[in-house]
C-alpha cells in the first residue's frame, strides 16, 4: 500500500496511526502542498490528503479522507479492530471522531501554523518551510483574529478530553478506538508548543501511549 501525504499533516498522521495499529505494511510518498493537486485530483476528484492507494487486486484504486481510510482498513483487515464491538460505544466514538476532525483539527492547524510563523520559526527557518507556512496561512485565512478564536475552541476541547482520559485510558469503552487515534493525531502538532505541553501533561502522556500502541514514531516535541 502507498500513502500519499504531507509529512507534517496531522490528518495524515491519523491515517498512519491506523495503519500502524493494524500492522499493515505500507510506503509513504510526501507531496508538496499546492503541487499535490496534480497527482491527487485525477485519483479521487478531491484536493485533500491523505490518500491511500491499496495497490491490491480487487481493492479500490484510491481511498481518500482519513475517515474513509479507517473504514477501508477495518473491512480489509478486521483485526485488531479499530471499531468497537458495542454499537452504542462505536457510535459515540464516531461522533467524537467527527467533532475532532471538523473542529479541533482545524483549531490545531491555525494555532500550529501561527506558532511556526512567529515564535516557532527557528524550528525550521529554511526558505522552503517558510514558503509552505505562508501558503497554508493564506489558504486557510490564518491571522490573529482567527487564531484567537481557535485558542478558545481548543481550550474547551482540551478540558473535555482531559476529563475523559482522567476517568479511563480510552475515550470510549475499554480499548483503543478511532476516537483515541483521532485525538492523538490531531493534537500532536501542539507538542512543539511549550505552553500546551506544560499546561496539559496528561494529554501528551496519552498521545505518547497511543503512538506506542500504533507503532508510530512520536511527533516532534515528544
Amino acid at each position: 500500500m502507498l500513502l500519499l501525504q504531507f509529512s507534517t499533516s496531522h490528518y495524515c498522521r491519523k491515517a498512519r496511526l491506523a495503519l500502524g495499529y493494524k500492522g499493515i505494511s505500507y510506503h509513504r510518498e510526501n507531496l508538496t502542498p499546492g503541487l499535490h493537486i496534480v497527482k491527487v485530483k485525477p485519483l479521487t476528484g478531491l484536493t485533500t490528503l491523505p490518500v491511500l492507494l491499496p495497490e491490491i487486486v480487487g481493492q479500490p484504486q484510491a481511498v481518500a479522507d482519513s475517515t474513509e481510510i479507517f473504514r477501508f482498513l477495518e473491512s480489509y483487515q478486521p483485526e485488531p479492530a479499530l471499531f468497537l464491538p458495542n454499537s452504542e460505544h462505536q457510535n459515540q466514538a464516531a461522533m467524537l471522531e467527527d467533532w475532532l476532525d471538523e473542529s479541533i483539527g482545524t483549531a490545531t492547524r491555525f494555532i500550529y501554523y501561527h506558532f511556526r510563523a512567529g515564535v516557532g520559526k527557528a524550528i525550521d527557518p529554511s526558505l522552503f518551510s517558510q514558503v509552505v507556512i505562508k501558503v497554508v496561512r493564506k489558504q486557510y485565512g490564518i491571522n490573529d483574529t482567527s487564531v484567537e478564536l481557535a485558542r478558545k475552541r481548543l481550550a474547551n476541547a482540551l478540558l473535555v478530553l482531559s476529563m475523559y482520559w482522567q476517568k479511563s485510558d480510552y475515550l470510549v469503552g475499554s480499548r483503543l478506538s478511532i476516537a483515541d487515534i483521532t485525538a492523538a493525531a490531531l493534537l500532536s502538532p501542539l507538542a512543539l508548543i511549550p505552553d500546551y505541553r506544560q499546561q496539559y501533561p496528561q494529554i501528551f502522556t496519552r498521545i505518547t501511549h497511543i503512538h506506542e500502541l500504533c507503532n508510530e514514531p512520536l511527533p516532534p516535541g515528544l
Side-chain angles (χ1 to χ4, degrees), residues 123-138:
I123 292 170
D124 184 355
S126 68
L127 177 61
F128 177 76
S129 176
Q130 293 307 306
V131 167
V132 169
I133 290 168
K134 186 175 181 178
V135 168
V136 172
R137 284 172 59 85
K138 183 176 181 180

Side-chain angles (χ1 to χ4, degrees), residues 17 46 50-51 60 62 70 105 112 132 145 152 154 164 184 220 222:
L17 287 170
L46 303 173
V51 171
F70 279 174
Y112 172 75
V132 169
T145 301
K152 292 176 181 177
L154 191 58
Y164 271 96
L222 295 179

